Amino acid sequence: MIHKELVIIGGGAAGLSAAVEAKKQGIEDILVLERSPYLGGILRQCIHNGFGVHKYKEDLTGVEFAGRISKEAMDADISCLTNTFALDISPDKVITAIHPEKGLFEIESSAIILAMGCRERSRGALMIPGKRCAGVITAGTAQHYLNLDGYLPGRRIIILGSGDIGLIMARQFVIEGATVERVVEIMPYSSGLARNISQCIEDFNIPISYNSTVTDIQGKGRVEQVTVAKVDENRKPIPGTEFTIPCDTLLISAGLIPENELTKAANIQLSNITKGAIVDDELMTSLPGVFSCGNVLHVHDLVDFVSEEGTKAGANASRYLKNESPDTPVISVEDGFGVNGAVPQLVRRTGSKFVEFMFRPRNKYTDCEICVDIDGTCAKRFKKMVVTPGEMCSFKVERALLNQANQSVTVRLEV
């Protein structure tokens, strides 16, 4: 049994930011567990720019961002164990992990930060009918093949879903000489950032079909064509609207899911909306001493915000280890109209002056307001020109204002 003061599971932007901040706060006995051979997480395969504008005040590639944050951890002399897969977390904060040389071992920790990131929805999760042929892959897998392995996984591409990775890969496929036949999106709007629609789809004249989905996959050995159909208001295919598109690759970019198997193993309470842990404004889960941050908590749109949340988790875990945490949370946060998973879900009566909230809207709304209701009355308003599910909404509310609530507050949109 290994004993550590703080264990961080995940060596990406969130986990390394948490580790660096905890070290700054005086926590010395820190261990980062990372399942891949290198630190940096998914950023290592992101060769495009757009990272670090908030954190480093520079426009970096994902690879550069990963290098920066990994160097910060190394310079801080933080112990990092790569090629290590965490298998289980017990309710008493004992982590079971496996390593090629160490074998199966256990770590007892006073505090844990969960920073495992997220995973992509696969064909099976979307239940796409048709042949089980080669050439059906997720956008992240294609990105790994192309950027890390130097392998072009297809020549004629259909992209299902307009998530950011899929949009970025559409541009990269065209640059590499492949043809992106079409992007197919089931919603009437893109689920990715507006800048990626502009820079990756419109600038490269790639056609995109909204209110549409793939209803069939055909091919012998490898994908040869897919069938696309329009959908109704219930997202069901409309008979008679089908058409086929020849292709050799179907790229799935239909959303991300927090990687929460370890969270479930520890019997930590999960949100049915975000699919991440339910946390308070200190990012502590229902298991005292276990914190969650980054994409394993709720899927972010920018890595800078992932890193910022990791820094916050590192500071909060440090206070917990020093017995300096505020009182227990007593105010619950409810989702109102148009709000899809406000985080945090619980707020403490004492703590920092402001509480920051984040959520994704359920739909695209223009000329609207974010309202914070206390006892049925809007106590705080934030004007928004436009909100869309592709971009996270964030705002801060004075804790003194939230303390006026008896038991709960509601976050909603007013249109």
Side-chain angles (χ1 to χ4, degrees):
M1 177 76 75
I2 301 171
H3 298 272
K4 291 289 178 180
E5 194 171 11
L6 175 62
V7 175
I8 299 168
I9 304 177
L16 294 179
S17 298
V20 170
E21 181 62 26
K23 191 65 179 285
K24 289 179 181 178
Q25 298 296 327
I27 306 302
E28 296 291 337
D29 194 19
I30 303 172
L31 177 63
V32 176
L33 303 180
E34 169 55 45
R35 65 183 178 185
S36 71
Y38 306 97
L39 297 174
I42 198 69
L43 292 171
R44 293 185 57 255
Q45 65 187 50
C46 299
I47 65 172
H48 56 281
N49 64 343
F51 301 88
V53 175
H54 298 274
K55 182 177 177 66
Y56 295 115
K57 311 304 179 186
E58 293 183 53
D59 189 12
L60 306 174
T61 66
V63 180
E64 291 171 325
F65 191 105
R68 290 271 187 100
I69 192 65
S70 299
K71 186 177 185 300
E72 288 180 19
M74 294 298 99
D75 290 346
D77 198 26
I78 294 169
S79 297
C80 300
L81 200 56
T82 57
N83 281 317
T84 305
F85 199 96
L87 299 172
D88 182 68
I89 302 174
S90 71
D92 54 352
K93 297 195 285 290
V94 174
I95 301 166
T96 302
I98 191 166
H99 182 272
E101 297 175 3
K102 295 179 180 293
L104 193 68
F105 64 102
E106 291 184 329
I107 310 166
E108 186 179 54
S109 181
S110 301
I112 299 172
I113 296 178
L114 305 175
M116 295 88 69
C118 55
R119 68 177 184 269
E120 297 176 281
R121 297 181 189 272
S122 64
R123 174 186 178 176
L126 300 176
M127 296 183 288
I128 305 171
K131 300 291 186 181
R132 298 185 60 169
C133 42
V136 181
I137 57 176
T138 63
T141 300
Q143 189 180 57
H144 188 283
Y145 283 155
L146 194 53
N147 296 342
L148 293 183
D149 299 336
Y151 166 68
L152 186 65
R155 291 287 179 181
R156 301 184 68 183
I157 319 294
I158 298 290
I159 300 177
L160 175 59
S162 58
D164 288 310
I165 302 176
L167 299 179
I168 290 165
M169 288 308 299
R171 174 178 62 185
Q172 194 170 350
F173 271 117
V174 173
I175 292 172
E176 294 291 341
T179 301
V180 178
E181 301 289 348
R182 186 173 296 269
V183 175
V184 180
E185 171 57 55
I186 197 168
M187 301 299 291
Y189 48 79
S190 171
S191 59
L193 293 169
R195 73 182 188 199
N196 286 333
I197 285 289
S198 174
Q199 297 172 5
C200 302
I201 302 300
E202 295 172 356
D203 286 357
F204 287 83
N205 297 314
I206 298 171
I208 182 167
S209 295
Y210 293 108
N211 294 308
S212 304
T213 190
V214 172
T215 59
D216 190 31
I217 301 171
Q218 292 296 321
K220 295 181 179 180
R222 187 179 178 92
V223 178
E224 297 173 3
Q225 67 177 29
V226 301
T227 301
V228 176
K230 287 287 186 180
V231 298
D232 58 23
E233 62 275 9
N234 297 315
R235 305 181 197 173
K236 301 295 183 182
I238 301 173
T241 63
E242 301 91 347
F243 62 97
T244 60
I245 306 176
C247 62
D248 62 16
T249 304
L250 175 63
L251 206 68
I252 298 174
S253 180
L256 303 168
I257 309 170
E259 190 73 77
N260 264 309
E261 293 304 313
L262 284 174
T263 315
K264 294 176 185 176
N267 292 323
I268 290 171
Q269 190 175 1
L270 296 178
S271 165
N272 291 327
I273 306 300
T274 66
K275 308 304 180 185
I278 291 176
V279 297
D280 61 26
D281 56 290
E282 293 282 300
L283 300 178
M284 188 184 292
T285 69
S286 58
L287 181 58
V290 178
F291 300 79
S292 182
C293 63
N295 287 337
V296 76
L297 176 60
H298 51 157
V299 178
H300 292 65
D301 44 13
L302 294 178
V303 73
D304 294 71
F305 300 153
V306 168
S307 181
E308 180 181 327
E309 196 168 76
T311 298
K312 183 179 177 181
N316 294 338
S318 300
R319 283 196 293 272
Y320 171 83
L321 290 168
K322 297 174 184 178
N323 296 317
E324 297 175 355
S325 291
D327 59 359
T328 56
V330 293
I331 304 170
S332 63
V333 181
E334 309 292 339
D335 291 346
F337 173 81
V339 173
N340 195 35
V343 176
Q345 295 90 349
L346 299 166
V347 174
R348 299 172 187 248
R349 293 285 185 188
T350 59
S352 58
K353 183 178 179 180
F354 291 93
V355 177
E356 183 175 9
F357 294 92
M358 301 182 79
F359 72 89
R360 289 187 185 273
R362 292 185 179 274
N363 211 325
K364 184 177 181 179
Y365 304 99
T366 58
D367 193 23
C368 60
E369 292 182 319
I370 300 172
C371 296
V372 181
D373 289 351
I374 296 177
D375 297 331
T377 302
C378 184
K380 192 80 174 180
R381 293 177 180 270
F382 301 88
K383 183 72 175 178
K384 294 288 183 180
M385 295 298 294
V386 61
V387 296
T388 174
E391 298 187 33
M392 191 79 78
C393 295
S394 65
F395 58 95
K396 294 182 179 180
V397 181
E398 299 88 341
R399 192 181 301 271
L401 182 63
L402 298 172
N403 274 335
Q404 296 177 14
N406 291 324
Q407 291 183 319
S408 66
V409 300
T410 300
V411 179
R412 63 180 175 85
L413 290 174
E414 191 171 280
V415 296

